[in-house]
Amino acid sequence: MAGDRTGVLLELEQCCREAGIELTQDAADGMRAFWRMVLAANERINLTRITGDEEATLKHFVDSLTVLLTGRFAPGARVVDVGTGAGFPGIPLKLARPELQVLLVDATLKRVRFLETVIGHFGWGDVRAVHARAEDLARDRETAGQFDVAVARAVASLDKLVVWCLPLVRPQGHLVAMKGPDVEGELAAAEKVLRRMRAQILEVRRLELPRGAGRRTLVVVERGG
Ligand code: SAH
């Protein structure tokens, strides 16, 4: 129902709390409004296969917000979300931390169009959605080196993410790659490219989503100087 604030993401605040993340009322309201927009648009365009309320709460929203647990998002940081799809993790991140500046990148035009309606809905002047491939942005002077942090969830293997995302962040900037439980193979496969780019893994943070929703790994990579 339009305007109904309680009909979706019923246990969002509680589930976030269980993950160690506190949400303001405004942030939670915003996530409910955003999720309603996703569900409505999902009837026309393929945005997500997760539509159950508790599953969406845990696997889209809480999962997206776990990147905050790395503590790598300074106040007002410039963040690029590579392969954002329907806006995860970028939109929940912006709602939880309204002072962040966010660029949402996706190679699929219909998803970018959807995100433009979301940006318009919230009236954000410091969030943009671009239809592009990350590897092209990495070569573009307007975007290369312009961000403090890059985030990516369910987009590509770590070795690819390193090549696509590190050129987007400033020297000593970070990539937070959101991964499933088993990262050993990907870490090993990325060693060579990390060495070539003089980048280093700062942290491999393993976590469990609340209520048995799954194990995750956040891999934090720092760009060399
Ligand atoms: N991050 C979202 C979407 C994951 S699906 C989530 O976790 O829900 C992967 C998305 O990455 C798709 O929307 C696809 O269009 C996009 N994508 C894949 N390769 C890309 C690339 N090279 N550059 C930009 N976007 C890419």
Side-chain angles (χ1 to χ4, degrees):
M1 223 186 303
D4 175 13
R5 293 188 161 188
T6 56
V8 294
L9 306 180
L10 291 175
E11 301 201 62
L12 178 65
E13 291 92 329
Q14 182 57 32
C15 288
C16 282
R17 203 166 298 130
E18 289 167 24
I21 302 155
E22 285 296 329
L23 291 185
T24 63
Q25 189 61 51
D26 277 356
D29 287 349
M31 289 187 213
R32 293 194 168 97
F34 166 59
W35 184 238
R36 278 200 195 85
M37 295 179 81
V38 174
L39 289 175
N42 206 37
E43 312 258 326
R44 292 176 288 111
I45 57 176
N46 171 25
L47 289 175
T48 176
R49 44 170 196 84
I50 294 175
T51 54
D53 202 60
E54 189 178 44
E55 195 181 10
T57 300
L58 293 162
K59 295 192 180 171
H60 277 330
F61 289 86
V62 178
D63 187 43
S64 289
L65 294 170
T66 59
V67 292
L68 290 171
L69 300 172
T70 64
R72 306 282 171 189
F73 299 81
R78 299 159 301 171
V79 179
V80 58
D81 181 6
V82 170
T84 186
F88 298 101
I91 300 277
L93 198 55
K94 172 67 181 171
L95 288 163
R97 291 281 307 276
E99 89 292 356
L100 296 177
Q101 304 171 49
V102 181
L103 181 68
L104 305 163
V105 179
D106 204 277
T108 306
L109 183 59
K110 62 186 180 168
R111 298 194 172 129
V112 174
R113 291 272 182 263
F114 165 72
L115 292 168
E116 285 168 348
T117 67
V118 172
I119 292 166
H121 170 88
F122 288 108
W124 286 321
D126 51 6
V127 180
R128 282 196 305 135
V130 295
H131 176 224
R133 297 197 67 82
E135 52 273 47
D136 295 332
L137 290 186
R139 283 190 288 265
D140 186 329
R141 280 185 187 198
E142 288 211 358
T143 38
Q146 293 304 305
F147 299 90
D148 300 299
V149 192
V151 292
R153 186 182 85 151
V155 177
S157 57
L158 188 63
D159 56 344
K160 285 204 185 79
L161 289 178
V162 164
V163 172
W164 296 350
C165 298
L166 283 187
L168 294 174
V169 304
R170 60 171 168 81
Q172 269 85 52
H174 299 122
L175 159 66
V176 181
M178 306 179 67
K179 293 285 167 188
D182 305 315
V183 290
E184 299 312 327
E186 282 193 48
L187 288 172
E191 256 173 41
K192 207 163 141 187
V193 67
L194 287 168
R195 213 174 308 124
R196 178 162 61 76
M197 295 180 80
R198 285 193 232 101
Q200 52 170 332
I201 306 259
L202 286 191
E203 188 182 359
V204 177
R205 189 186 184 104
R206 295 172 203 280
L207 57 100
E208 274 187 43
L209 294 177
R211 307 184 185 192
R215 290 187 294 139
R216 299 287 187 271
T217 312
L218 299 172
V219 181
V220 182
V221 186
E222 183 171 85
R223 179 178 167 170

